[in-house]
Amino acid sequence: MRIYSFFLFSLLLFGCRNTTPKNKQNSEATPSSIDTSASIVTATVNEDNAYQQTALYLAGLATVADKKINPSIIQNDAYRLFSDSLNRGFENMEMARLSKMRNWAQTELKEEQAAKTVFYPFSGPDILHCVQFYPNADQYILIALEKYGSLPMLEKMDTAKAMQYLSSVTSSLEDIFGKSYFITRKMLKDVSNSVNGFVPLASVFLVRSGFEIKDVQYKHLNDDGSFSTLSFDSCGRRVNDLVEIYFTKKGENHLRKVLYFRTNLCDDPFGGMKSFKENIALQNYLNALPEFYTYVKSASYLMNYPSFDIIRKICLAKSKSILQDDTGVALRYLDSTKWTIKLFGNYVKPVSDFSGVWQEDLKAAYVKDSLSIQKIPFSLGYHWGDQNTQNLMKFTRK
C-alpha cells in the first residue's frame, strides 16, 4: 500500500535501553489485577529518589546539592552551557507557546481541567504539551512507536560519557523547541542518539513542567487483563509491555502516573508487529476504561485512513471530548447528532509530506463558521511556521 509505505518510513520501532537508576530491578512477578480506573496504585519510591535527581540532571536543572550525582559531571563548563541552552529553549517555549496554551485551556477546556484520565494516541514522548492542556489528570495514557528507554545511571558516568548523553538530549529536543513535535524519521536516522526513548524525554518534560518523579515501573498487560511486573531490561520483548512514570505536583502528595504503550495501532500488521485488530488485550483495556478525554496532535493523519478504524472507533466511543488538529479523526467520521463541534484557527492545505488527507467537508465547515471562529494564540503542530495556518477543533459529546 503506497500510503502505508510512507508510515514505514516515517515511524520507528525500537526496544528498551539497558540503563536505569539504581532501584528495584524486578524480575517478572505474580500478575496483579489491572486498574483501569483513574485511581493510582501505590508506587515504591526509591530511598534517594534517583529518578528525580537523574531527570533534573537531564533537564539541565541539577545542582551540587544532588548528593547522588558525581559533582564532576555538574561542575564543568559543558554542563553549564547545556543548562543555559535548555533554559533558553524552555523559556522561549513558555513565553511563545506553553503559557498561552494554559491560559487558553482555562477558557476552552474548562471541564477538562478536572479530567481523571487523558488518552493521547500517536503521542511519541510528548507529555509536555498534554499536561499544559490537561494539568490535573490522575493518569495519562500514551501510545506510540518510540522505544521505551530508561534513565541512565549517572553514578557510572564520567564527564565524557555524560556530555555525550546530554548532546543526545539536546538533539532530541530541537524539534520540540522549534516545531512542537518529534520527527520520528529524523530520530530513526540518528542512530547515534541514545536518548530518543520515552522515559528520559518524558522525565525531562515532567520536571520542566514542575512535577516531581517518584517511581518508574515496567510492566506487561496480560491477555486476561492483569499486569505483570517486568525488569527494565526485559521490557519491549512482547506486545503490550508498558512503562509507568509516577509523579506528583510540587507541594502535593497525590500520586499520578503516565502509562506508555509502544504498540502498533494500525488494523494491519506493521514493522514486525501484529495488527491492532489482533491485539485484543489492549483493545479490552482501553474499552474497559472509564470515559476519558482524548488529545491528538501531529499524528500523521493516521485516523483519516480506513486502516486505523479500530483505534478511531475507540476514541469516538470512549471520549467525553476530543481536542485535536486536522491530523486526528477526520470530520466525516463524526455523527453530528452526537457531537458538538467547535473550530479554532484556520484550515489550510495539509503539509506537503502527506497526500490524500485534504478534508473538503472540514474546509466547508470553516468557511461556514468563519465569522465566529476564534484565532489560536499559539503555534502548535505541523503548520508551526505560521500562526495564521494553525487549526484546532474540539468535539464534545452531547
Side-chain angles (χ1 to χ4, degrees):
M1 187 189 306
R2 185 176 62 83
I3 290 175
Y4 204 64
S5 66
F6 174 77
F7 304 154
L8 181 60
F9 178 70
S10 64
L11 300 174
L12 74 159
L13 300 171
F14 282 107
C16 291
R17 282 183 48 77
N18 291 325
T19 55
T20 191
K22 188 177 294 182
N23 57 26
K24 55 179 192 321
Q25 295 186 7
N26 295 319
S27 57
E28 293 192 20
T30 304
S32 59
S33 295
I34 193 168
D35 180 10
T36 58
S37 71
S39 61
I40 303 300
V41 297
T42 302
T44 303
V45 181
N46 59 325
E47 257 177 48
D48 51 30
N49 199 357
Y51 302 110
Q52 177 70 359
Q53 291 188 24
T54 303
L56 288 171
Y57 181 77
L58 300 184
L61 298 172
T63 69
V64 291
D66 297 324
K67 299 177 182 178
K68 293 297 179 179
I69 301 178
N70 183 346
S72 69
I73 67 172
I74 299 176
Q75 295 176 307
N76 58 69
D77 290 340
Y79 189 73
R80 282 188 284 272
L81 287 172
F82 169 79
S83 179
D84 289 345
S85 175
L86 260 63
N87 285 340
R88 287 194 299 273
F90 278 97
E91 286 169 3
N92 289 339
M93 277 201 299
E94 174 66 18
M95 289 187 295
R97 188 191 311 157
L98 302 182
S99 62
K100 295 177 181 180
M101 290 173 62
R102 292 194 299 273
N103 291 338
W104 184 87
Q106 290 297 318
T107 300
E108 301 300 338
L109 300 174
K110 284 184 179 179
E111 181 181 345
E112 287 78 0
Q113 299 306 291
K116 296 296 184 183
T117 299
V118 176
F119 181 46
Y120 187 1
F122 313 104
S123 62
D126 181 30
I127 189 63
L128 175 67
H129 295 98
C130 191
V131 296
Q132 310 305 317
F133 284 139
Y134 307 91
N136 303 311
D138 285 335
Q139 60 180 357
Y140 303 82
I141 301 170
L142 280 59
I143 303 179
L145 291 176
E146 278 79 4
K147 63 179 180 177
Y148 297 96
S150 62
L151 293 172
M153 297 177 70
L154 296 181
E155 65 269 28
K156 293 188 176 181
M157 282 189 172
D158 58 22
T159 303
K161 288 182 179 178
M163 294 309 110
Q164 182 180 7
Y165 195 96
L166 295 180
S167 177
S168 292
V169 172
T170 301
S171 177
S172 296
L173 294 177
E174 285 176 352
D175 289 314
I176 283 289
F177 286 154
K179 301 177 181 178
S180 80
Y181 58 90
F182 288 99
I183 301 176
T184 48
R185 70 170 176 267
K186 177 179 176 180
M187 296 168 74
L188 175 61
K189 288 180 179 178
D190 189 4
V191 294
S192 64
N193 190 329
S194 57
V195 184
N196 343 330
F198 180 83
V199 172
L201 294 174
S203 297
V204 167
F205 292 148
L206 286 171
V207 296
R208 278 284 181 172
S209 298
F211 299 109
E212 182 173 352
I213 296 170
K214 297 296 187 179
D215 197 7
V216 178
Q217 298 181 11
Y218 295 89
K219 297 182 179 180
H220 177 74
L221 173 61
N222 299 305
D223 290 344
D224 64 0
S226 64
F227 279 144
S228 293
T229 303
L230 301 177
S231 61
F232 74 94
D233 55 354
S234 66
C235 182
R237 295 178 183 175
R238 294 180 291 170
V239 174
N240 293 335
D241 286 351
L242 67 140
V243 63
E244 296 178 334
I245 302 177
Y246 291 83
F247 63 97
T248 59
K249 283 186 177 181
K250 283 185 178 178
E252 295 183 5
N253 294 320
H254 180 59
L255 198 61
R256 307 192 288 161
K257 64 182 176 181
V258 179
L259 298 85
Y260 175 70
F261 291 89
R262 177 182 170 268
T263 297
N264 173 29
L265 290 177
C266 182
D267 296 350
D268 301 320
F270 170 66
M273 304 178 78
K274 70 180 182 180
S275 69
F276 190 48
K277 186 183 298 183
E278 299 174 272
N279 194 346
I280 303 303
L282 185 55
Q283 288 185 50
N284 288 343
Y285 169 81
L286 294 173
N287 282 317
L289 288 167
E291 283 189 315
F292 46 68
Y293 295 95
T294 296
Y295 176 50
V296 185
K297 174 182 70 69
S298 306
S300 299
Y301 302 88
L302 297 179
M303 286 193 288
N304 274 242
Y305 299 115
S307 53
F308 287 81
D309 183 59
I310 294 175
I311 188 60
R312 180 175 55 245
K313 285 180 176 176
I314 289 174
C315 290
L316 293 174
K318 298 296 298 185
S319 300
K320 290 184 178 180
S321 73
I322 301 173
L323 178 68
Q324 63 167 48
D325 57 20
D326 62 316
T327 71
V329 177
L331 185 64
R332 63 182 176 275
Y333 293 111
L334 266 75
D335 182 343
S336 60
T337 66
K338 297 179 180 179
W339 296 89
T340 299
I341 300 170
K342 188 170 184 179
L343 305 175
F344 301 90
N346 185 27
Y347 180 59
V348 299
K349 183 179 178 181
V351 291
S352 58
D353 289 337
F354 304 92
S355 61
V357 291
W358 169 257
Q359 299 181 57
E360 193 63 47
D361 54 348
L362 182 58
K363 181 61 178 180
Y366 267 87
V367 171
K368 179 182 177 182
D369 297 337
S370 59
L371 295 179
S372 61
I373 294 175
Q374 302 171 23
K375 291 184 177 180
I376 302 172
F378 47 83
S379 179
L380 191 67
Y382 288 154
H383 293 283
W384 58 273
D386 184 352
Q387 194 166 307
N388 293 321
T389 62
Q390 306 290 305
N391 71 78
L392 274 176
M393 54 203 78
K394 182 183 176 185
F395 308 142
T396 305
R397 186 177 298 282
K398 294 181 178 180

